[in-house]
Amino acid sequence: MTVGYQKRSEEMAEKKEHVIEMSHRLNLMRSEKFCTNELKVLDKYMSRINPRDKSTRKVVFTLKEFQKDLGINDLRYKTLRTNVEALLGKCVFLPNSETGEFIAFQLFKEVELKKDSTKGWIVTLDCHDRAVDLFFDLAKDGYFSRKLKYSMRLNSANQIKFYMLMKEYEGVGKKKIRLAELIDWQYNLFLLQISFRHFCHHSEYTQC
């Protein structure tokens, strides 16, 4: 009986890891500088934290997994360092359309590479102190859920952002978005149109 319960608990934990709970405020961030692989690392990070427990803010990757998610094929230390510096240097902007004000800060503050006695080389990713509320205060602005596997299948930043946008308004049924708003979100509309079929095929929206 105990073994069966433990197995079910492990299966639930594994399933939970593949679900992203994302705050509406975080989804509205302007993140035009994030490349495809950096957005996938962000999604993997969100799938592993417990957004109701700030103590889970440090997420561990194996080095191999981290390199794969960042799209690093060159295993040299210099290449890894260059990609880490780029990830830590990315800022997000949270604008206030009514006042014209905005707040800008980094999403991640620290990447630690070390050798674990049992897991081998691991990478620990920690969010910026200023970004903690974006990841862990879901009650403030509400949130929506989506599955990690769908965004990991997509092959461009535009597709991932569009998928987030569709999930944001999924329960609404119909949502009109001004062209200026899409441009402000930094969507490349031409590339988005070209890749729309790929997006539909590899996401949960298979009826596009």
Side-chain angles (χ1 to χ4, degrees):
M1 186 71 175
T2 303
V3 175
Y5 176 79
Q6 181 179 357
K7 184 178 180 180
R8 286 195 299 272
S9 298
E10 291 173 350
E11 290 174 349
M12 289 176 65
E14 182 179 358
K15 182 178 180 181
K16 178 67 175 177
E17 181 180 332
H18 293 82
V19 174
I20 299 169
E21 292 179 308
M22 187 175 192
S23 70
H24 293 303
R25 194 156 49 112
L26 180 57
N27 195 36
L28 291 175
M29 68 184 185
R30 271 51 175 177
S31 55
E32 67 272 15
K33 300 297 184 180
F34 282 74
C35 70
T36 306
N37 294 102
E38 289 166 344
L39 287 175
K40 289 184 177 182
V41 169
L42 171 60
D43 272 4
K44 186 74 73 71
Y45 176 86
M46 289 190 292
S47 75
R48 292 185 176 176
I49 62 172
N50 178 350
R52 296 162 185 83
D53 181 2
K54 295 179 181 180
S55 68
T56 64
R57 59 183 282 181
K58 291 188 176 183
V59 170
V60 176
F61 299 74
T62 65
L63 176 58
K64 183 178 180 179
E65 175 190 22
F66 189 72
Q67 290 176 315
K68 180 181 178 181
D69 290 340
L70 274 180
I72 302 175
N73 297 317
D74 184 346
L75 301 182
R76 290 181 299 175
Y77 176 84
K78 183 178 180 181
T79 304
L80 177 62
R81 176 176 172 174
T82 299
N83 282 268
V84 167
E85 288 177 347
L87 178 64
L88 293 180
K90 295 298 190 300
C91 291
V92 294
F93 289 80
L94 297 177
N96 186 324
S97 58
E98 296 180 357
T99 65
E101 302 170 330
F102 68 82
I103 301 174
F105 51 84
Q106 297 159 289
L107 273 187
F108 298 109
K109 74 170 185 179
E110 182 178 280
V111 173
E112 180 183 12
L113 171 66
K114 66 179 181 180
K115 194 169 186 178
D116 183 82
S117 58
T118 57
K119 299 179 181 179
W121 288 99
I122 61 173
V123 174
T124 303
L125 181 62
D126 188 12
C127 68
H128 195 283
D129 295 343
R130 185 64 182 79
V132 168
D133 286 347
L134 289 179
F135 290 111
F136 295 95
D137 192 1
L138 299 183
K140 185 173 183 179
D141 298 297
Y143 70 97
F144 61 98
S145 300
R146 54 191 176 88
K147 294 182 179 180
L148 175 67
K149 66 179 181 180
Y150 294 121
S151 57
M152 296 301 284
R153 293 175 184 174
L154 302 177
N155 60 13
S156 77
N158 282 320
Q159 291 174 5
I160 294 174
K161 292 177 183 179
F162 191 66
Y163 174 51
M164 286 192 265
L165 186 66
M166 290 184 73
K167 293 299 292 185
E168 170 84 20
Y169 298 112
E170 184 177 44
V172 177
K174 186 177 182 180
K175 173 70 177 179
K176 291 184 178 181
I177 301 176
R178 293 180 296 109
L179 179 60
E181 186 177 352
L182 279 175
I183 294 174
D184 188 39
W185 273 49
Q186 298 296 320
Y187 288 110
N188 187 315
L189 299 181
F190 177 69
L191 291 178
L192 187 60
Q193 183 180 20
I194 291 176
S195 61
F196 191 67
R197 288 186 180 274
H198 178 91
F199 163 78
C200 292
H201 179 72
H202 290 281
S203 76
E204 59 190 292
Y205 298 98
T206 56
Q207 302 301 317
C208 297

